[in-house]
Structure formats: C-alpha cells, structure tokens
Amino acid sequence: MGVNKCNYQIDFKQRRIQDEFWTPFQKLVKNVVVPYQQAVLEDKIEGVEKSGAIQNFRIAAGLAEGDFYGMVFQDSDVAKWLEAVAYSLELEPNTELEAYADEIIEIIGKAQQPDGYLNTYFTIKDPDRRWQNLQECHELYCAGHMIEAAVAYYEATGKKKFLTIVQRMADHICNRFGPDKHRGIPGHQEIELALLKLYRATGEGRYRDLAGYFLDERGTEPNFFAEESEKRQWNHFGIDPEDRLYAQNHAPVREQNTAEGHSVRAMYMYTAMADYAAETGDAAMANACRALFNNVANKRMFITGGIGSTVEGEAFSIDYDLPNDITYNETCASVGLVFFTRKMLDLEPDANYADVMEKALYNGVLSGMQLDGKKFFYVNPLEVIPGVSGKLAGYKHVKPVRPGWYACACCPPNVARLPHITSKICLGRNR
Amino acid sequence: MGVNKCNYQIDFKQRRIQDEFWTPFQKLVKNVVVPYQQAVLEDKIEGVEKSGAIQNFRIAAGLAEGDFYGMVFQDSDVAKWLEAVAYSLELEPNTELEAYADEIIEIIGKAQQPDGYLNTYFTIKDPDRRWQNLQECHELYCAGHMIEAAVAYYEATGKKKFLTIVQRMADHICNRFGPDKHRGIPGHQEIELALLKLYRATGEGRYRDLAGYFLDERGTEPNFFAEESEKRQWNHFGIDPEDRLYAQNHAPVREQNTAEGHSVRAMYMYTAMADYAAETGDAAMANACRALFNNVANKRMFITGGIGSTVEGEAFSIDYDLPNDITYNETCASVGLVFFTRKMLDLEPDANYADVMEKALYNGVLSGMQLDGKKFFYVNPLEVIPGVSGKLAGYKHVKPVRPGWYACACCPPNVARLPHITSKICLGRNR
C-alpha cells in the first residue's frame, strides 16, 4: 500500500473541546496539575520525592551553587511541564504563569552552552563526557522534550525565545550527527518526533532529514551501542549494549513488524516513523508502521490500551502475554500509543487507529493520574491484590495506591501534557 | 485440648501396600530413580547439573584429591539418597545395591572427624569455621538427613555401622549445644525431627531432649542469628539475620499460629513439633501444631497440597494469596507437609490431617517427578504459559519442563525417598 496523506490542516486555536468529561479534566490540569507540578519541580512539596529539576537549570546557568540532582534525564521533567504550560495558556491566558514560564525559559537560555549544547547533567557534572553514551545518557531524549516544549510554547504565545534556544541545540545536533558526520542513534527515542515538529514549526528541512537519519540508522550493523561502549569504557546504568531488543535496535525500522523492547521507546519511535511516512510519503516506512500497529493492537495490548506486559525492561513480551496482576503498562507507554495512533490517522483515515487512540486515552492514560490531579501511577495493573501487590516477588512494581511523585518522574508530566492537548489530538491534524 | 497420643505401633516390615497406583511407583523408584540418582551423585550422567556429592565424601575421607563441589548442604543429597536406598532394600533385597551403599557408608565413616564431626564442606574447605554460621551453613541440617538415612538403613538391614557414625555426630552436637552449653538453633530445621527418630531407634532420651531444646530456643531473644553474625563477621549466602520470619525465628514456636517464611523449613519444624508433642504429651506444643495446620490447610495451601506462594524466600506469603502461575510450591515443601500431617495423625486421629496428607502426597509431591523417574520439578505451578513461564520477570522460577537435576538438588532425592515410604506413612505409626 502507498501513503494516502491527509492534507487537511486545522489551526488548533480555532477549535475547542467542551464537554462534561474533558472540560473538567482540562480545568483540573490547568488549575491543579500544572501548579502542583511546578511546586514539585521547585522542590516545594513536602513528603514527595525530591525533583531538583529546576534547580539543576539554575546551577547550570550559574545562578545557583550546588550539585546536579536526580536522573540523567531530569531536564525532561521541566520540558514536559513547560509543554503542559503552553497548552494551558492556549486554553486560557494566565499572565502570572506565563511570566513564570518566561523566567524558566530565561534560565534555560543561560544554561545553554556557547556551542548550543543544552543538558544540565553533563554541563554540571561531566562536561568532558558529552555525546559519549547515547545509549544510556538521554542527551538526545532531553533535547527532544525541550524541542516539543518550545514548539508548543511558540504556538501558544507567539514568543520565539524558547524556540531559538532549542533551534541552537538542534543545529548543534545536526552539525554533529548524520551521514559523513558522527554516527549515532539515541538510546531512548524522542528526538525523532521532536525534530519533525521543529521542522514544521520552522520549515527547516534539515530537522526532518535528521529525524530520518536517526530512524534509518537504528538496527543497522555494526551495533552502534556496542561500538560506542567499547570506545568509551564507562557505563551509566549498565544497560547491556548487546540487548538489541531493548531499544528496538534489533533490525532496521522498516523491517520491524513486532513490538519489542521498552514500550515507551517503541511508541515514541513508531510515532516518529508514522509522522515521517506521512510527511515524506515513504511507503516502506508506512508499511512498517501498519505492521507494528497491528501487532500492538491485536496481540500485545490490554483491554485498557495499556502496553508493555513485563517489568523487566519495562517492555513488550510476547503475543497474548497479558497478565492483569503483574503487567507493567507504563502510563508513558499509553501516552505514546496515543501519539502513535494519532499519527497513523494522519497517514490514513482508518477507524481502527481512532479506536485504539481513544481506548488508550480514556483508559491507559487517565488511570495514571488520580482525580485530584496530585497522585500518579507509573505502572497501571488491571488487578491489585491487597497485601500482595507492591510487596511480594513479581508484584513489587505494582503499587496499590498512587504516590505523589517518583524519583524517575517521566509519567506525571506526561499525563499533564496529554489530556490537555485533547483539543489538538481529537480533531484534525496535529503537529 | 490435650494430647490423645496414638499408642499403637505397627512394624512396617509386617505391611505392604500393593495396588495399581503405588506398586508401579515403588518399582519405578526402586528400578529407575534410585539407580539414576546414584549415577547423578557419582557424576556419571551427561548433560545434567554436576553433583560432586559422593566425590566430596571421598575427598573428605582422604581417598581422593580435589576441591569441595556444590552447595554447602551438598552432603544431604547423599543422605536422602541413602534413605531411599534403605526403603528400596526393605521392599526387595538387592545385594549389589546394598554392597554399594555399604561402600558409601564406609567412606562416610572415614570422612568423619575424630571428634564425631561430619560435614564435607567444612572438613574440606573451611575446618576453622565449623559451627560459626548455623543460620546459613546447614551443618545441623546435613546431620539431620544423615541421621534419618542411618535410622532407615538400620531398620532395613539391621546393620549398625551407619547408625553408629551418626550417633557419634549426634553426640558431638549434644555436647556442643543445649542449656548451659553453646546456644544455637539451626538455620534450616531438620535436625529436630531426625533427633526424634534417633531417639526412637536408640532409646537415648538426650536426643529427644536436644530436639526439644532446638525447638524451644527458636524465636527467643536475643535473636540468635544476629548474635552469631555479629560475632563471626562473615557470611555465606548473605541471608539477613534480622529477617525473623524467613526461618520461623519470629516468635517462640508455641506462640506461632500462622505459617510464615521458608516453607520447607516451616514444614520440617512443624513435623518435629507434632512428633515432640506426641512423644512427650506436651499440650501447648500440640495446640500450636493445630493452629499451624489450620492456617496452612485452610488459608495457605493450593488445591494440589502445594504450599509456599512466593519465590522470594521460597516462602509462605499471606492468607489466600494463591497465584496459579507464579507460585513457588516447592516439591520439598509438599514432602514436608506429608511428614507434618502424618505426625498430626499420630497426635490425634482426625481425618482432616489424612485428607491433607493424601492431597499433598498424590498431587503436590508426585508432580515433582516425571513418570519416567528421571526429571524433576523443584517449583510446581498450577499454570504454565508457553513462552512466558521460565522466561519473563516474575515467572523465571517457573520451569515449563522438568530438568534432569538441579545445582540445588534438594527436591529430586526428597521425592525418591517419599513415595517409597508410602508403606510406612499410609498405615499405622511411622518412625
């Protein structure tokens, strides 16, 4: 099959979802979740996991003293939150929130290095080790989230400052990676889908082409992760570079037809693949997307749109392995499934994509946040056993109640940015 | 309630079970399992886990050169096999097998130290560390299995040599542990039930009393395992001495009323408790046994008589936690449940005990061995999922097919010695 690209485009400022279900939810995100997460990121909430994420930027910017705190990808929490802020401002202007966001963007700009590089972990802790560990260190992943946030903020406010910052980082990446430059693929996909957004926001084809490069370089020989690991002789998490499935590095993406490995990585990659296929009319890429969608939707997805059946590697396992009580079903994976299916709808208007998108959005994603907007599930089981879940071997990842935050806090801000953009994803083409 | 001790005793040589079910099984054990396990213990079977267990005795006896091989409790595999041999000889004389067993017993005698100490691990590897790590190093456990084997061999053949060997070891233990001697309790219960058998075989009350001491010392303060750990400053497996539940060290045994911790340890202890209560008329001990039986039978046992719901610590978990696909249900635990319920029948003739005994024997135990007698389950799930069991996180302990042997080979010889003694357990009082 070829690609029947949907060529309509609706300015999302021209549309609003207003109904009994989403309006209260959007208000919750705007009035509770965004301020709550701001307070968490600023380490102002007692009794939840410390974040340190905004303070890291202050330190990297030279505005504060101290050590980097948190995961190597801590920056992405700030980025996802800024993206949620952008959608919030779109729904309803808020001068105070916008002023605060501008202030954070100002700090981010100051944390950026003269060559455009932007990542507080390496800037604060380990400047000599930049770009040596793409497999584990998430520099491209964090850059991707910054780009998504900046594009959203630009579209919401018309302000270009943040976009300029991420363009400088994107150009830094363009100058480093690609054919005839350094070889590289991200350990956690995200930059690909972000570069496609940046391409549409700026019209600069080099961002689209770099997204295509990262997609096509994956799964090729020799194994890039083994090559860089051998070269640098140090590890961050200790992820085995020879585990080809974990980051979908087992085959060229056009040849992949079963959903393998870390489910969030997979979804972000499939999203970029579908987007790239729709943008470029690449029929082989579109076919791979259809095969991957069919495998997920028909054989590896829970009735809730939850995906990723095993805690080990937060990953897909095998066809029809759908254990209600010990599944992983990461919130971010369902968020990713919404992105992927939405992009499939751009590729071709098939109701199957819309059905799965809706299923994942209403079930797999929303279960990730408590109705008060202040507690979150990372793992979304379909069955919780009192006294067993969260306690016994095999069930330890299954929390019986939602905590207020996580040391690895990818999910809460991902939920915050997602239902908010229902206006964008439910009607017409989204960016 | 008091204790209505069953005071009948039937010489097991006077009885035989002969039926369509057990006769073929006994023949299988006699003709296939015993010779197969002999070959495994002598490292003569290709493609199965190496045992080294008999060679360890040769090395300790000065008859061979080499290093100790295997687990710290490797000796017990030989002991359990010799016990199965004894029952086999009872069923049918076999001069060749008896001559071989006598040869092994001869070697065991030579491996015994001048002071009666008998344990190849410490004799070969670490003679200076004897009796320093009761929690982890299984010296008393191995001694217990040797005693059981020697009593069975004496009863089957009338030969006293093996019994004399284990009496010297038992006396060594009696001289070391007890009131006004060294304080101590075994990390893995077994010695208690064995000492009671030795008491009945020899009439020496000190063995019964030492069994009572080991039972009553458990669960007392200060925590013995923490005390010895603090004193010796080295570990073998790294089991946390402060985990009081794991080895039922959380409360005095007379106060225990829920089945906790490692299920095999629990069963061997309950067996000794019931036996001790029946022997001595100890009403408090009998009451504890009844409470423990009720908790196991009514709330923590599978429909197969399988027990121990969690892989973590090979242990009981909580009431009604009975997951078919990820349970542990160690074969040895069901063997232990047969022992325990059999002793409860000695205590009082209540059909509930017989029902559970039968359920465990016909289901939880027999599933541990393939019909050809050459492959064994250590873990006995009620549900196996192709491609998942044995592979994915949470299911790794659940082997979909029976292997030929195990590095930790407690279960195969436990099955071998068990159905064989159906003649003993199904009728009348057993020793």
Side-chain angles (χ1 to χ4, degrees):
Chain A
M1 281 199 287
V3 175
N4 301 309
K5 187 178 165 183
C6 306
N7 53 10
Y8 56 89
Q9 183 115 13
I10 302 170
D11 178 357
F12 70 86
K13 290 200 172 181
Q14 303 301 318
R15 61 189 191 235
R16 284 282 178 276
I17 296 279
Q18 288 185 322
D19 69 11
E20 286 181 7
F21 189 83
W22 287 113
T23 303
F25 205 95
Q26 292 181 340
K27 280 191 183 154
L28 179 74
V29 172
K30 188 164 53 77
N31 300 332
V32 177
V33 182
V34 166
Y36 174 77
Q37 296 198 356
Q38 177 180 332
V40 171
L41 295 174
E42 287 271 27
D43 303 313
K44 288 181 176 162
I45 307 278
E46 295 273 319
V48 304
E49 281 282 350
K50 181 180 167 182
S51 164
I54 289 176
Q55 187 67 2
N56 288 338
F57 278 99
R58 291 204 179 91
I59 296 165
L63 302 170
E65 299 272 308
D67 286 334
F68 177 90
Y69 184 87
M71 310 293 279
V72 70
F73 46 82
Q74 208 79 348
D75 287 2
S76 62
D77 294 346
V78 178
K80 284 192 271 189
W81 177 79
L82 279 169
E83 192 182 342
V85 168
Y87 302 135
S88 176
L89 294 176
E90 253 166 38
L91 287 173
E92 191 175 59
N94 179 332
T95 13
E96 201 185 336
L97 179 63
E98 191 169 330
Y100 175 78
D102 284 341
E103 189 189 316
I104 300 299
I105 290 163
E106 186 77 25
I107 297 167
I108 291 172
K110 287 185 180 155
Q112 187 164 39
Q113 301 301 291
D115 61 358
Y117 183 84
L118 177 60
N119 183 293
T120 72
Y121 177 85
F122 284 99
T123 300
I124 298 171
K125 258 184 115 84
D126 231 345
D128 294 338
R129 289 187 161 178
R130 293 180 354 177
W131 301 129
Q132 287 180 28
N133 191 342
L134 300 192
Q135 188 202 359
E136 298 183 307
C137 287
H138 289 67
E139 287 155 290
L140 292 170
Y141 170 87
C142 289
H145 276 299
M146 280 293 161
I147 291 168
E148 284 200 273
V151 170
Y153 200 74
Y154 167 62
E155 290 177 350
T157 65
K159 292 179 181 168
K160 279 205 138 181
K161 185 177 175 81
F162 197 9
L163 193 68
T164 305
I165 292 169
V166 300
Q167 260 197 278
R168 286 186 61 215
M169 175 61 164
D171 289 338
H172 175 92
I173 295 168
C174 279
N175 289 335
R176 184 172 180 92
F177 298 103
D180 305 322
K181 301 175 191 170
H182 286 91
R183 188 178 176 220
I185 51 170
H188 193 314
Q189 299 92 322
E190 155 68 24
I191 186 75
E192 303 90 335
L193 70 86
L195 285 169
L196 289 163
K197 285 188 176 183
L198 187 61
Y199 155 65
R200 278 190 292 274
T202 63
E204 300 287 349
R206 65 181 180 278
Y207 302 136
R208 176 200 56 213
D209 296 343
L210 185 61
Y213 167 78
F214 284 138
L215 288 174
D216 277 324
E217 195 64 19
R218 186 169 297 273
T220 59
E221 302 303 330
N223 176 1
F224 171 73
F225 296 139
E227 206 173 49
E228 66 159 12
S229 168
E230 177 64 25
K231 204 165 153 192
R232 74 172 177 264
Q233 296 290 323
W234 57 270
N235 294 315
H236 185 83
F237 291 114
I239 301 171
D240 179 6
E242 292 301 342
D243 181 353
R244 301 291 294 254
L245 287 178
Y246 178 64
Q248 298 78 39
N249 191 28
H250 55 293
V253 297
R254 288 153 201 278
E255 294 168 22
Q256 295 189 21
N257 50 26
T258 54
E260 305 295 345
H262 188 267
S263 55
V264 181
R265 284 167 165 79
M267 287 302 123
Y268 287 10
M269 181 175 89
Y270 304 165
T271 302
M273 287 167 66
D275 197 358
Y276 187 80
E279 275 297 341
T280 62
D282 185 324
M285 190 73 94
N287 269 337
C289 291
R290 291 182 191 108
L292 291 165
F293 171 82
N294 287 329
N295 181 248
V296 171
N298 301 330
K299 298 180 181 173
R300 300 190 178 192
M301 183 180 79
F302 282 77
I303 198 168
T304 56
I307 50 175
S309 296
T310 177
V311 60
E312 194 169 62
E314 313 180 307
F316 287 101
S317 58
I318 61 170
D319 289 348
Y320 308 115
D321 171 41
L322 302 164
N324 288 338
D325 56 346
I326 62 169
T327 186
Y328 203 71
N329 286 12
E330 184 176 339
T331 304
C332 290
S334 291
V335 169
L337 182 55
V338 173
F339 293 155
F340 172 40
T341 45
R342 184 64 193 79
K343 289 295 173 191
M344 290 306 287
L345 278 173
D346 284 347
L347 200 58
E348 55 204 6
D350 181 329
N352 281 321
Y353 305 138
D355 285 347
V356 170
M357 182 179 79
E358 206 169 80
K359 186 180 287 185
L361 177 63
Y362 279 81
N363 300 278
V365 172
L366 290 188
S367 62
M369 187 165 79
Q370 194 162 286
L371 282 179
D372 68 2
K374 294 183 174 180
K375 297 194 168 188
F376 304 89
F377 272 145
Y378 190 110
V379 168
N380 295 273
L382 279 75
E383 188 182 331
V384 164
I385 310 167
V388 172
S389 302
K391 289 189 177 168
L392 301 184
Y395 298 94
K396 291 208 170 151
H397 59 291
V398 183
K399 300 268 174 284
V401 293
R402 294 175 180 87
W405 203 250
Y406 291 84
C408 171
C410 51
C411 297
N414 233 354
V415 178
R417 71 182 179 132
L418 204 267
H420 228 79
I421 52 171
T422 45
S423 299
K424 297 178 79 175
I425 61 170
C426 293
L427 284 175
R429 179 109 202 272
N430 84 311
R431 292 183 175 266
Chain B
M1 283 197 286
V3 175
N4 302 309
K5 187 178 164 183
C6 307
N7 54 9
Y8 57 91
Q9 184 114 13
I10 302 170
D11 178 357
F12 70 85
K13 291 199 172 182
Q14 302 300 316
R15 60 184 194 241
R16 284 282 179 275
I17 297 279
Q18 288 186 321
D19 68 11
E20 287 180 7
F21 189 83
W22 287 112
T23 303
F25 205 95
Q26 292 182 340
K27 279 191 184 155
L28 179 74
V29 171
K30 187 162 55 73
N31 300 332
V32 177
V33 182
V34 166
Y36 173 77
Q37 296 196 356
Q38 177 181 331
V40 170
L41 296 174
E42 288 272 27
D43 304 313
K44 288 180 176 162
I45 307 279
E46 295 273 319
V48 304
E49 280 281 350
K50 181 180 167 181
S51 164
I54 290 177
Q55 186 67 3
N56 288 338
F57 278 99
R58 291 206 179 90
I59 296 166
L63 302 171
E65 300 272 308
D67 286 334
F68 177 88
Y69 184 87
M71 309 293 280
V72 70
F73 46 82
Q74 207 79 347
D75 287 3
S76 62
D77 294 344
V78 177
K80 284 191 271 187
W81 178 79
L82 279 169
E83 192 180 342
V85 168
Y87 302 136
S88 176
L89 295 175
E90 253 166 36
L91 287 174
E92 190 177 60
N94 178 335
T95 19
E96 201 186 334
L97 179 63
E98 190 169 330
Y100 175 78
D102 284 342
E103 189 189 314
I104 300 298
I105 290 163
E106 186 77 26
I107 296 167
I108 292 172
K110 287 185 179 153
Q112 187 164 41
Q113 300 302 290
D115 60 357
Y117 184 84
L118 178 59
N119 183 293
T120 71
Y121 176 86
F122 284 99
T123 299
I124 297 172
K125 258 183 113 87
D126 231 346
D128 295 338
R129 288 185 162 180
R130 293 181 353 177
W131 301 128
Q132 288 179 29
N133 191 342
L134 300 192
Q135 188 201 358
E136 299 182 307
C137 287
H138 290 65
E139 287 156 291
L140 293 170
Y141 170 87
C142 289
H145 276 300
M146 280 291 161
I147 291 168
E148 285 199 272
V151 170
Y153 200 75
Y154 167 62
E155 289 176 351
T157 64
K159 292 177 181 168
K160 280 205 138 179
K161 186 178 175 79
F162 197 8
L163 193 68
T164 306
I165 292 169
V166 300
Q167 261 199 277
R168 288 184 59 215
M169 174 60 165
D171 289 337
H172 175 92
I173 295 168
C174 280
N175 290 334
R176 183 170 181 93
F177 298 104
D180 305 323
K181 301 175 192 170
H182 285 91
R183 187 178 177 221
I185 50 170
H188 193 313
Q189 300 91 322
E190 155 67 24
I191 186 75
E192 304 89 336
L193 70 86
L195 285 169
L196 290 163
K197 285 187 176 183
L198 187 60
Y199 155 65
R200 279 191 292 274
T202 63
E204 300 288 350
R206 65 180 180 280
Y207 303 136
R208 176 200 56 215
D209 297 344
L210 185 61
Y213 167 78
F214 283 138
L215 288 174
D216 277 323
E217 194 65 18
R218 186 169 298 271
T220 59
E221 302 302 329
N223 174 2
F224 171 73
F225 295 139
E227 207 173 48
E228 66 159 11
S229 168
E230 177 65 25
K231 205 166 153 190
R232 74 171 177 267
Q233 296 291 322
W234 58 269
N235 294 316
H236 186 82
F237 291 115
I239 300 171
D240 179 7
E242 292 301 343
D243 180 353
R244 302 292 293 255
L245 287 179
Y246 179 64
Q248 297 77 40
N249 192 27
H250 55 292
V253 298
R254 290 151 199 279
E255 295 168 23
Q256 296 189 21
N257 51 26
T258 54
E260 304 295 346
H262 187 267
S263 56
V264 180
R265 284 166 165 81
M267 286 302 124
Y268 287 10
M269 181 175 90
Y270 304 164
T271 302
M273 287 166 67
D275 196 359
Y276 187 81
E279 276 297 341
T280 62
D282 185 324
M285 190 72 95
N287 269 337
C289 290
R290 291 183 192 107
L292 291 166
F293 171 83
N294 286 330
N295 181 248
V296 171
N298 301 330
K299 297 180 182 173
R300 300 190 179 190
M301 183 180 78
F302 282 77
I303 197 170
T304 56
I307 50 175
S309 296
T310 177
V311 59
E312 194 169 63
E314 312 180 307
F316 287 102
S317 57
I318 60 170
D319 289 349
Y320 309 114
D321 171 40
L322 301 165
N324 288 337
D325 56 346
I326 63 168
T327 185
Y328 203 71
N329 286 13
E330 184 175 340
T331 305
C332 290
S334 291
V335 169
L337 182 55
V338 173
F339 293 156
F340 173 40
T341 46
R342 184 63 194 81
K343 289 295 173 191
M344 291 306 288
L345 280 172
D346 283 348
L347 199 60
E348 56 204 5
D350 181 328
N352 281 322
Y353 305 138
D355 285 346
V356 170
M357 182 179 79
E358 207 168 78
K359 184 179 288 185
L361 178 63
Y362 280 81
N363 300 279
V365 172
L366 291 188
S367 63
M369 187 166 77
Q370 194 162 286
L371 283 179
D372 69 2
K374 293 183 174 180
K375 297 195 167 188
F376 304 90
F377 272 145
Y378 191 110
V379 168
N380 295 274
L382 279 76
E383 187 181 331
V384 164
I385 310 167
V388 173
S389 303
K391 289 189 178 169
L392 301 184
Y395 299 94
K396 293 208 171 152
H397 59 292
V398 183
K399 300 267 176 283
V401 293
R402 295 174 179 86
W405 203 250
Y406 291 85
C408 171
C410 52
C411 298
N414 232 353
V415 179
R417 73 184 179 130
L418 203 265
H420 228 81
I421 53 170
T422 45
S423 300
K424 299 178 79 174
I425 62 172
C426 294
L427 284 175
R429 180 108 203 274
N430 84 313
R431 289 181 176 267

